[in-house]
Amino acid sequence: SESAGEPRNIVVGRIGRVGTITLDRPKALNALNVELMEEVVAAALAFDADPEIGAILLSGSERAFAAGADIKEMAAQDYAAMAVGDWFSAWDRFAGLRTPVVAAVSGYALGGGCELAMMCDVLIASETAKFGQPEITLGTIPGIGGSQRLTRAIGKAKAMDLVLTGRMMDAEEAERAGLVSRVVPADELDATAAEVAATIAGMSLPVAYAAKEAVARSFETSLAEGVRFERRTFHATFALEDRTSGMQAFLAKERPTFQHR
Ligand code: CO8
């Protein structure tokens, strides 16, 4: 839907094979209004369609990854407007990206901000990161997957605690609970997240898609079906030039150079 003009709430860039999206609405702590959502989804889909992009890096600011859906925008809505407009369903397209997404989370990741971080594949958190689903304190509940993804990520005990009390969880607790991939000192966040994204972007693109899809499948299916899906996909990688050259490089004690096909 974002066709003409520069985005106003995000900064989009590119470093090698990594597409970068930086949330940039500092006055509202990167609150996710509809315009920002449409810009993020459009930028991410454009990267997803570009075979020169092997990973997407999503960041916020030092103070906030994102402090949730935009409460000012939501406050005036009624049930009919939310339901008929299917508010926030565009985020499902972000969750459906094939390209691996690395999130760099510093400061607040609350409500929709926590939900957006959980839609990403590798979540690198600064020691300053704070996660929470405070919707209940506003008289509502998570609406972009929080009740589902948080529970799958950290289990019922902590998910219920967070969703029912609205309290925040710091980076250390989030790592212990299994919500984040790594916690790093604040001044190392950007470099670490960029390095992780560049590493992934250096892999064979079809294999990275397959690896992401296989892990993501585990959330949608039984173990037996998931293992079957993985096995067939694993077999299919043997049709790829990158699989041939990757194994040949290992045997020749060389670094692999993937052609991404
Ligand atoms: N929406 C709109 N504006 C926001 C938001 C937000 N979520 N968060 C912060 N802001 C604004 C503040 O209003 C303030 O603006 P102004 O300067 O104009 O008053 C500015 O950002 C700075 O914020 P604070 O002054 O509050 O900064 P503090 O450092 O004092 O506090 C906090 C930081 C603790 C993060 C605080 O801002 C806060 O609690 N924010 C709200 C967090 C929250 O409740 N998030 C959940 C939102 S609901 C949600 O995400 C639901 C998603 C699913 C809905 C699905 C529906 C279909």
Side-chain angles (χ1 to χ4, degrees):
S1 43
E2 184 67 21
S3 50
E6 288 292 302
R8 300 198 305 169
N9 306 280
I10 64 174
V11 177
V12 180
R14 197 180 157 151
I15 308 166
R17 291 180 56 79
V18 176
T20 63
I21 301 173
T22 308
L23 308 179
D24 188 28
R25 253 197 105 198
K27 281 187 205 137
L29 300 182
N30 292 332
L32 308 168
N33 63 11
V34 168
E35 186 179 76
L36 180 150
M37 170 180 72
E38 287 174 351
E39 290 172 0
V40 170
V41 171
L45 288 174
F47 285 142
D48 211 35
D50 183 347
E52 300 302 317
I53 294 293
I56 296 170
L57 175 57
L58 178 66
S59 323
S61 70
E62 205 177 316
R63 195 164 159 224
F65 178 72
D70 190 310
I71 298 165
K72 277 175 204 150
E73 197 179 52
M74 281 187 297
Q77 307 295 327
D78 62 10
Y79 171 75
M82 297 302 269
V84 173
D86 201 7
W87 268 54
F88 299 141
S89 63
W91 284 120
D92 295 345
R93 300 168 77 194
F94 186 90
L97 295 170
R98 295 201 298 162
T99 310
V101 184
V102 177
V105 177
S106 175
Y108 298 111
L110 301 177
C114 185
E115 294 171 298
L116 177 58
M118 290 191 291
M119 280 181 223
C120 300
D121 302 304
V122 183
L123 204 168
I124 312 291
S126 155
E127 283 169 349
T128 66
K130 286 194 188 324
F131 299 89
Q133 299 289 162
E135 288 89 346
I136 198 163
T137 67
L138 302 165
T140 184
I141 72 166
I144 323 176
S147 64
Q148 305 304 298
R149 291 197 179 88
L150 190 66
T151 308
R152 282 164 164 78
I154 69 177
K156 175 186 165 182
K158 273 195 188 287
M160 284 290 191
D161 179 2
L162 291 170
V163 170
L164 288 173
T165 70
R167 80 170 171 92
M168 292 187 211
M169 175 165 79
D170 67 16
E172 196 205 315
E173 183 182 1
E175 189 183 33
R176 237 187 303 129
L179 183 63
V180 307
S181 309
R182 309 183 197 178
V183 178
V184 297
D187 61 354
E188 292 173 22
L189 177 67
D190 291 342
T192 304
E195 193 189 311
V196 171
T199 298
I200 294 168
M203 303 301 177
S204 167
L205 185 63
V207 177
Y209 282 173
K212 170 171 173 167
E213 191 177 15
V215 175
R217 190 76 165 221
S218 72
F219 291 100
E220 308 288 351
T221 192
S222 70
L223 179 61
E225 284 306 316
V227 169
R228 175 190 289 271
F229 177 81
E230 180 201 70
R231 184 73 28 79
R232 298 299 174 236
T233 308
F234 162 71
H235 291 158
T237 64
F238 282 70
L240 294 169
E241 286 176 41
D242 280 342
R243 198 285 312 170
T244 308
S245 68
M247 290 194 181
Q248 279 169 353
F250 177 84
L251 295 174
K253 302 192 186 301
E254 288 166 3
R255 287 192 58 177
T257 330
F258 293 117
Q259 301 305 309
H260 309 295
R261 60 202 167 105

